[in-house]
Amino acid sequence: GENVEQHPSTLSVQEGDSAVIKCTYSDSASNYFPWYKQELGKRPQLIIDIRSNVGEKKDQRIAVTLNKTAKHFSLHITETQPEDSAVYFCAASPGGSYIPTFGRGTSLIVHP
Amino acid sequence: DAGITQSPRHKVTETGTPVTLRCHQTENHRYMYWYRQDPGHGLRLIHYSYGVKDTDKGEVSDGYSVSRSKTEDFLLTLESATSSQTSVYFCAISEVAYEQYFGPGTRLTVT
């Protein structure tokens, strides 16, 4: 089955800095890669996703990049703000599967 | 937020008692999932459903059972609760086998 590794487990940055979270996957058939943000005490919420036919996708201050050859994808947050503080999860889904495999999460702390 | 609710939101129960958690959706989505979330483990899949009365096991299904008699409801039962099942339980739904939408979660404590 699919295996997703996520690094780092904790990331601490100053407000205004950039943050990068990386994930690797094992199943070359995976073709959908979502990212979820979970604020303290809240539910995970989809913030951005990318499909394997695209190398990069941006939405305001967040972007995701995908390297299919190396089997890794990354979340980039620019100009971080305190409200970006949360746990971020990556996931990977093989084509035709409705069962995503999640990474273990990254706790992002943005210091004012 | 998608129309997805969970009940109860909090529950404290004793070891050995049965517990049922309910997930209810108003989106008519086909797929429904139960996850547990524990520190350091992320989201782990317990069971999932791909239609009414169609369910299957996830990676941490021991000690849990599920039922889905209607599209909108997916029940998770802990047959005999143990302290290791103390966790936060999330239900999720999806329609196109890609984007998942999560419920608000149920915090379960087994004493």
Side-chain angles (χ1 to χ4, degrees), chain A residues 11 13-21 37 47-48 56-65 74-85 88 108 110:
Chain A
L11 180 59
V13 300
Q14 291 295 127
E15 182 176 0
D17 288 350
S18 294
V20 181
I21 302 170
K37 176 183 179 181
I47 56 171
I48 195 168
E56 183 176 5
K57 184 177 179 180
K58 291 183 179 180
D59 183 3
Q60 299 183 339
R61 295 187 298 107
I62 62 173
V64 58
T65 58
S74 301
L75 178 71
H76 303 254
I77 305 174
T78 59
E79 301 174 16
T80 55
Q81 301 168 3
E83 51 265 38
D84 294 329
S85 295
Y88 292 81
L108 174 63
V110 181

Side-chain angles (χ1 to χ4, degrees), chain B residues 84-106:
Chain B
S84 64
Q85 294 176 311
T86 292
S87 186
V88 179
Y89 291 85
F90 285 100
C91 175
I93 62 174
S94 69
E95 178 56 34
V96 295
Y98 285 124
E99 298 92 344
Q100 285 186 316
Y101 300 94
F102 287 83
T106 293

Side-chain angles (χ1 to χ4, degrees), chain A residues 31-32 36 38 42-46 49 51 89 96-100 102-104, chain B residues 1 4 31 33 35 37 40 42-43 45 48 50 90 97-100 102-104:
Chain A
N31 65 354
Y32 175 66
Y36 293 84
Q38 185 178 26
K42 301 293 180 66
R43 73 187 80 189
Q45 292 195 301
L46 180 71
D49 56 13
R51 288 174 169 75
F89 293 97
S97 168
Y98 43 87
I99 308 299
F102 285 86
R104 294 194 173 193
Chain B
D1 292 329
I4 176 169
Y31 305 103
Y33 314 77
Y35 291 91
Q37 185 174 37
L43 292 158
L45 183 65
Y48 61 95
Y50 44 95
F90 285 100
Y98 285 124
E99 298 92 344
Q100 285 186 316
F102 287 83

Side-chain angles (χ1 to χ4, degrees), chain B residues 3-5 22-32 68 70-74 91 93-95:
Chain B
I4 176 169
T5 58
R22 180 185 185 229
C23 177
H24 179 77
Q25 60 146 330
T26 58
E27 304 296 323
N28 201 35
H29 282 4
R30 177 181 176 187
Y31 305 103
M32 299 186 75
R68 190 173 179 196
K70 299 184 291 185
T71 299
E72 58 266 35
D73 289 326
F74 193 31
C91 175
I93 62 174
S94 69
E95 178 56 34

